[in-house]
């Protein structure tokens, strides 16, 4: 058997009915164009609009094949889809880059990375986490640092991640300070992050003795942009309001809920 | 698990009542008491002119900012000063958006702050 023989196979990823993965191995030269066109036909017949081409096993690719990919990508794009490359080895990646393909196609390290990008960039799916912790101040730093890392891992800039970390810190500190301090109670942080924004919801049980004070405290913070030298209270809420794009506080006898939306400001 | 902050102190040549205090780590609600104790310890020793070097201070929150304002005010009441140098961009932004840049004595470089000591 020729080790360089061209082999192609399609697998439909379970993530979505519209995603197909075309795995190619061997030499993709002019003689393989007909086979490639045939697979494109099958993918079209199955109504799959998003094609991930796995080139990890490809040893050579000719410019005619690249032209074929460009043509099919255009067809998919016209239907709102895309064709992306995954698993590009060093020499193939260099060649495609030299040919300018990186300006037309997205390159991903592997199929998994391409699928993640499909979910994140193309379908604009969000990721969510929920963290529950007892109302202890010392637990706030690891929570805020966790959220900051999550933002960084999902492509947010250092500055945006810092702002998000600050918002989480301030909201959670307020929950510890003004909520029920009973170790049996808990603060629940729900965070949803997508490519464009972070949404944060923090709830905690109310302390009946602190509710009226808390209602008063949120007033100046909501009304004032700047806090003076002698204002001991309200800096945290003022900071959250100024760092975020929307903040909503609900206080009831049962609990306090703070909802914050922070839009992504900087692209990496 | 409290957030780590370290404060290291060094003399300022020719200024017996001044010290450079380097802040290393995060300044937040979990360590403001420790920080306050250290700074007021210097005040109590007559070291009322403090230059706070924030080169290695990664993070500050509203509680941390509150104690910085407190240090600044207390130092002035003791005829001293609390000067801040080498702020990173993120920490500066927090101080700026809360409107505290005009309340604090901030310098870009350590040399400038030392030269401004009276």
């Amino acid at each position: 058997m020729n080790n360089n023989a061209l082999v192609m196979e399609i697998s439909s990823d379970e993530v979505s009915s519209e995603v197909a993965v075309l795995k190619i191995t061997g030499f993709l030269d002019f003689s393989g164009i007909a086979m490639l066109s045939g697979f494109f036909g099958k993918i079209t017949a199955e109504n799959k609009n998003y094609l991930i081409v796995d080139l990890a096993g490809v040893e050579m690719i000719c410019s005619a094949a690249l032209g074929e990919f460009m043509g099919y990508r255009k067809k998919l794009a016209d239907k709102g889809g895309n064709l992306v490359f995954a698993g590009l080895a060093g020499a193939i990646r260099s060649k495609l880059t030299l040919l300018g393909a990186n300006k037309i196609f997205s390159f991903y390290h592997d199929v998994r990375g391409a699928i993640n990008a499909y979910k994140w960039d193309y379908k604009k799916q969000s990721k969510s986490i929920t963290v529950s912790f007892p109302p202890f101040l010392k637990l706030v730093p690891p929570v805020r640092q966790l959220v900051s890392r999550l933002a960084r891992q999902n492509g947010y800039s250092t500055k945006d991640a810092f702002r998000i970390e600050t918002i989480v810190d301030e909201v959670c500190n307020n929950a510890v300070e003004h909520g029920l301090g009973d170790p049996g109670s808990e603060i629940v942080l729900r965070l949803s992050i997508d490519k464009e924004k972070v949404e944060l919801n923090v709830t905690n049980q109310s302390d009946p003795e602190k509710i009226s004070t808390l209602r008063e405290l949120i007033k100046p913070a909501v009304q004032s942009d700047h806090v003076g030298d002698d204002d001991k209270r309200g800096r945290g809420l003022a900071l959250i309001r100024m760092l975020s794009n929307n903040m909503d506080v609900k206080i009831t006898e049962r609990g306090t809920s703070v909802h914050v939306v922070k839009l992504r400001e900087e692209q990496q | 698990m409290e957030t780590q902050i370290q404060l290291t102190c060094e003399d300022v040549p020719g200024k017996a009542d001044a010290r450079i205090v380097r802040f290393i780590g995060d300044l937040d609600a979990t360590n403001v008491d420790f920080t306050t104790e250290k700074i007021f310890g210097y005040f109590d020793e007559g070291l009322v002119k403090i230059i706070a070097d924030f080169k290695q201070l990664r993070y500050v929150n509203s509680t941390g900012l509150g104690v910085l304002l407190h240090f600044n005010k207390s130092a002035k009441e003791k005829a001293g000063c609390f000067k801040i140098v080498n702020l990173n961009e993120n920490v500066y932004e927090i101080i700026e958006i809360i409107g505290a840049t005009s309340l604090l004595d901030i310098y870009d470089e350590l040399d400038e702050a030392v030269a401004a000591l009276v």
Side-chain angles (χ1 to χ4, degrees):
Chain A
M1 182 180 167
N2 182 356
N3 288 334
N4 298 331
L6 182 64
V7 177
M8 295 186 195
E9 56 182 331
I10 298 174
S11 65
S12 295
D13 190 82
E14 291 176 2
V15 69
S16 168
S17 60
E18 69 174 340
V19 176
V21 179
L22 176 60
K23 185 177 181 181
I24 305 175
T25 53
F27 274 61
L28 182 50
D29 58 17
F30 190 77
S31 65
I33 300 292
M35 188 192 288
L36 192 59
S37 297
F39 274 94
F40 288 162
K42 286 181 189 174
I43 290 162
T44 301
E46 290 176 15
N47 285 323
K48 295 186 182 299
N49 289 334
Y50 198 94
L51 176 60
I52 298 167
V53 182
D54 183 0
L55 296 174
V58 168
E59 295 170 60
M60 191 278 283
I61 186 167
C62 70
S63 53
L66 183 60
E68 200 69 13
F69 283 123
M70 288 171 67
Y72 194 57
R73 183 194 166 279
K74 172 78 168 57
K75 282 183 186 171
L76 292 178
D78 289 344
K79 293 191 288 182
N82 201 3
L83 184 159
V84 302
F85 290 138
L88 287 164
I92 302 292
R93 188 184 189 100
S94 299
K95 180 175 181 182
L96 292 185
T97 302
L98 199 65
L99 292 169
N102 57 320
K103 292 173 183 161
I104 298 164
F105 300 95
S106 297
F107 293 175
Y108 297 99
H109 180 70
D110 52 24
V111 172
R112 188 179 166 188
I115 290 169
N116 284 339
Y118 163 80
K119 292 177 184 173
W120 183 256
D121 295 334
Y122 183 73
K123 298 302 284 184
K124 301 198 186 307
Q125 287 181 1
S126 62
K127 297 175 184 175
S128 301
I129 60 162
T130 301
V131 181
S132 302
F133 57 101
F136 300 144
L137 208 53
K138 65 181 179 182
L139 296 177
V140 175
V143 171
R144 74 164 194 249
Q145 287 161 5
L146 169 74
V147 173
S148 177
R149 278 199 301 277
L150 189 69
R152 292 286 295 128
Q153 284 166 3
N154 284 285
Y156 279 66
S157 70
T158 306
K159 183 176 273 296
D160 273 342
F162 187 90
R163 290 168 177 163
I164 293 162
E165 178 177 351
T166 304
I167 290 168
V168 171
D169 191 26
E170 298 295 347
V171 175
C172 292
N173 280 336
N174 280 338
V176 171
E177 187 181 352
H178 303 296
L180 189 64
D182 182 347
S185 68
E186 62 178 19
I187 295 167
V188 180
L189 177 148
R190 291 184 184 82
L191 182 108
S192 166
I193 182 167
D194 62 34
K195 196 182 173 188
E196 293 166 356
K197 67 180 183 307
V198 169
E199 264 190 85
L200 179 75
N201 202 69
V202 176
T203 57
N204 63 280
Q205 290 162 266
S206 292
D207 183 337
E209 293 178 7
K210 295 179 184 172
I211 284 184
S212 58
T213 312
L214 185 56
R215 285 192 171 124
E216 285 302 310
L217 281 176
I218 64 169
K219 289 179 185 172
V222 171
Q223 290 161 7
S224 169
D225 271 355
H226 287 80
V227 179
D229 193 5
D230 294 324
D231 297 324
K232 301 283 185 201
R233 301 279 180 167
R235 284 194 195 98
L237 279 171
L239 196 53
I240 299 163
R241 190 172 72 80
M242 284 181 270
L243 285 173
S244 66
N245 299 87
N246 186 51
M247 181 182 78
D248 182 37
V249 183
K250 286 192 174 68
I251 303 169
T252 69
E253 301 301 318
R254 291 185 61 199
T256 302
S257 170
V258 180
H259 178 251
V260 180
V261 178
K262 168 72 183 147
L263 298 179
R264 182 176 178 170
E265 291 182 31
E266 296 187 332
Q267 297 298 320
Q268 285 287 67
Chain B
M1 180 173 28
E2 291 178 1
T3 310
Q4 293 293 313
I5 190 158
Q6 275 183 283
L7 302 182
T8 64
C9 179
E10 65 182 72
D11 296 347
V12 180
K15 300 283 181 186
D17 59 351
R19 287 289 184 277
I20 296 166
V21 180
R22 300 189 197 279
F23 285 60
I24 304 162
D26 292 6
L27 178 58
D28 63 24
T30 66
N31 55 39
V32 287
D33 289 344
F34 165 80
T35 307
T36 302
E37 201 174 300
K38 290 282 277 187
I39 298 297
F40 273 82
Y42 297 133
F43 289 163
D44 291 344
E45 291 173 30
L47 304 168
V48 293
K49 294 174 182 172
I50 300 291
I51 297 175
D53 186 346
F54 282 5
K55 192 171 186 175
Q56 294 176 79
L57 183 72
R58 186 195 74 89
Y59 178 87
V60 67
N61 71 359
S62 67
T63 315
L65 181 56
V67 295
L68 296 179
L69 291 166
H70 186 43
F71 298 155
N72 184 60
K73 194 174 174 185
S74 300
K76 284 178 180 167
E77 285 169 359
K78 297 172 193 298
C81 60
F82 186 82
K83 299 180 186 299
I84 297 172
V85 300
N86 287 326
L87 282 160
N88 79 40
E89 190 184 343
N90 294 328
V91 171
Y92 185 82
E93 182 183 58
I94 297 300
I95 295 174
E96 187 177 39
I97 62 177
I98 210 82
T101 49
S102 59
L103 301 172
L104 293 168
D105 209 1
I106 298 172
Y107 295 82
D108 289 337
E109 303 289 341
L110 185 59
D111 291 349
E112 289 176 47
V114 172
L117 288 174
V118 289

